[in-house]
Amino acid sequence: MHLSANKHHKLSLFFLLVMLLPLTGVASEKTTPTGNYKLKLLTQPVSAPDFQLKDMDGEQHSLKQYRGKVVVINFWATWCPPCIREMPSLQKLYETFKSKSLVVLAINQWEDEDRVFEFMGRLNPAPTFPVLFDSDSKLSELYKVQGLPSTFIINKQGKIVYRAKGGRDFDHPQIMDKINALF
Amino acid sequence: MRCLLLGIFCLISYQTPTLADEIPSTDNTTGSPQWHSEQQGLSLTLVQLGSEYVSAVFAARGLPKDVVDDISTYCLFGTIIKNTSTKSLSAQLSDWRIVTREGKEHRLKLKEDWVKQWRAKGVGFRWLLLSDQQNFDDGDWIQGFTTVALPPGQRFDLYYSWKQQDKLFNNTIKGMSCAPVSQQTP
């Protein structure tokens, strides 16, 4: 079978895109730090800005409704490789501490619900915590998020006590211990 | 004769890396040239990106065609900055300079510049690009695109700086280049 130059070019571009797709995040998986468990402790915790966002079922979530619980807020997108990489560890963290009332909120940036819904179905394990939509990125601006993924850990009093810029392994014992100490 | 030899030498040294140039490594997965440097707590990796790839990435975010076409004309790098030390550090990307072989100095066009331009067109997108002020605590890192208004294939040196505990550090990556012209669809 002979491909026309045009088809051949398009095919080449397709393969190039497939190969470079991890860079949309922009690093490839292998450049993502492994075993990264460091969290920045805020010695002077600040109040976490409240919000109202919808989840995939159209249900509203506010930060206020989770007062008295430990909340992990994770800003992410489906095109961000380190976000995808850390998602299973967030699920493990959630499963470990949900009986202690840990709340994990994955806040998607700038994507439509169909794309995210389809993407979630492909994750193993599939996240069982709520995925919220910050469609206009207003909340990420409020939290001064510089890049994805970014994570904030909020104590029972509604204060940000830890933050992380870039991917982490949230099921790492050192992170687990830090979160366990907040209950 | 001496003049001719000098001319040939200048032509060769303009088109080929000088002895001081960093030799880019090639990403095994993507085949794209990448430059890497790690100094005093800051690790910097820059992956050369072609215009077709850039165009496809921004189009996939649902951005208008004129926005996609505009950014695709720029020289882009996938940029990964990591704090490899245990102390906080910061970098102001607007201080970084790109100097071409002809000695012309350029600044990076950063997220703030693009977002301002896009907002004027009613586009609220603010991802993928690195912003000016970058702060890194222990374990922090970031990745995103950096852009500069240079033509395809342009060779240049990158002069960059960062701060740690009020001390300013500088480094240079010599002999970087923008992606060459993409093959056009016949």
Side-chain angles (χ1 to χ4, degrees):
Chain A
M1 192 175 83
H2 295 283
L3 292 170
S4 69
N6 194 24
K7 273 185 183 167
H8 188 268
H9 178 74
K10 281 180 177 166
L11 203 59
S12 303
L13 178 60
F14 172 76
F15 282 115
L16 181 71
L17 276 174
V18 168
M19 287 191 301
L20 289 175
L21 198 61
L23 284 170
T24 55
V26 150
S28 59
E29 292 286 331
K30 66 178 180 177
T31 57
T32 305
T34 51
N36 192 340
Y37 54 84
K38 292 170 176 174
L39 297 176
K40 167 69 180 174
L41 170 71
L42 275 69
T43 47
Q44 290 186 316
V46 291
S47 287
D50 193 25
F51 55 81
Q52 281 233 328
L53 294 175
K54 277 185 185 172
D55 66 14
M56 286 200 285
D57 299 319
E59 223 173 279
Q60 288 275 1
H61 294 251
S62 69
L63 184 60
K64 217 172 167 181
Q65 81 186 69
Y66 297 118
R67 185 62 60 88
K69 296 182 177 184
V70 176
V71 183
V72 175
I73 292 181
N74 175 252
F75 291 90
W76 74 289
T78 63
W79 44 261
C80 155
C83 303
I84 299 162
R85 190 179 180 277
E86 72 179 4
M87 206 56 102
S89 74
L90 273 172
Q91 176 63 18
K92 280 183 198 159
L93 178 77
Y94 176 60
E95 279 169 9
T96 306
F97 293 119
K98 67 180 176 187
S99 59
K100 288 189 170 184
S101 301
L102 175 75
V103 175
V104 175
L105 301 171
I107 302 180
N108 178 269
Q109 297 301 304
W110 195 261
E111 292 183 287
D112 63 55
E113 293 178 28
D114 290 346
R115 181 193 287 259
V116 175
F117 185 75
E118 187 268 334
F119 172 81
M120 283 298 176
R122 285 191 276 129
L123 285 179
N124 186 22
T128 53
F129 47 78
V131 175
L132 312 182
F133 292 91
D134 181 25
S135 309
D136 53 9
S137 297
K138 287 266 160 61
L139 187 64
S140 65
E141 279 183 47
L142 206 58
Y143 275 75
K144 298 182 171 56
V145 173
Q146 289 184 329
L148 302 178
S150 283
T151 305
F152 298 84
I153 295 168
I154 299 162
N155 68 10
K156 290 180 186 178
Q157 291 74 44
K159 305 262 188 193
I160 299 171
V161 283
Y162 292 106
R163 66 166 184 246
K165 180 173 169 179
R168 296 292 193 279
D169 291 332
F170 287 100
D171 54 350
H172 193 284
Q174 294 220 22
I175 292 187
M176 293 269 200
D177 286 350
K178 283 186 173 113
I179 290 183
N180 197 24
L182 296 174
F183 293 109
Chain B
M1 184 64 183
R2 188 181 288 174
C3 230
L4 181 67
L5 284 173
L6 186 66
I8 291 169
F9 174 76
C10 286
L11 193 67
I12 290 169
S13 39
Y14 175 68
Q15 288 180 339
T16 57
T18 65
L19 286 177
D21 284 348
E22 306 278 341
I23 306 296
S25 61
T26 304
D27 187 286
N28 288 337
T29 318
T30 63
S32 301
Q34 65 172 39
W35 291 264
H36 175 77
S37 183
E38 188 172 341
Q39 303 263 334
Q40 299 288 342
L42 184 126
S43 158
L44 176 66
T45 305
L46 298 128
V47 184
Q48 186 190 78
L49 301 174
S51 63
E52 285 189 337
Y53 170 70
V54 170
S55 176
V57 168
F58 281 89
R61 306 280 81 78
L63 298 175
K65 191 178 180 303
D66 60 330
V67 166
V68 174
D69 289 347
D70 185 22
I71 199 160
S72 307
T73 63
Y74 279 71
C75 173
L76 266 83
F77 291 88
T79 306
I80 304 157
I81 309 171
K82 292 177 192 168
N83 179 2
T84 55
S85 75
T86 54
K87 294 172 189 136
S88 299
L89 62 83
S90 65
Q92 193 139 12
L93 273 55
S94 55
D95 287 343
W96 294 14
R97 291 290 180 274
I98 275 162
V99 181
T100 63
R101 287 294 156 94
E102 298 79 20
K104 201 170 175 194
E105 204 173 286
H106 296 259
R107 287 176 180 208
L108 292 170
K109 183 166 177 175
L110 298 162
K111 179 194 269 187
E112 289 81 357
D113 307 312
W114 285 108
V115 165
K116 195 175 170 189
Q117 199 175 310
W118 293 342
R119 283 207 172 133
K121 295 180 178 196
V123 177
F125 186 75
R126 57 175 286 263
W127 297 108
L128 292 174
L129 299 154
L130 289 188
S131 52
D132 178 17
Q133 183 63 43
Q134 296 290 341
N135 302 311
F136 301 92
D137 291 309
D138 184 11
D140 282 351
W141 62 291
I142 198 167
Q143 55 185 17
F145 294 146
T146 44
T147 75
V148 59
L150 286 176
Q154 175 73 57
R155 295 180 62 81
F156 63 87
D157 299 334
L158 171 68
Y159 293 83
Y160 65 101
S161 58
W162 65 100
K163 253 184 188 174
Q164 194 164 41
Q165 293 185 310
D166 291 329
K167 196 173 173 189
L168 187 69
F169 297 95
N170 297 285
N171 193 33
T172 309
I173 300 179
K174 287 190 172 284
M176 291 184 62
S177 61
C178 301
V181 183
S182 301
Q183 281 187 323
Q184 297 301 310
T185 306

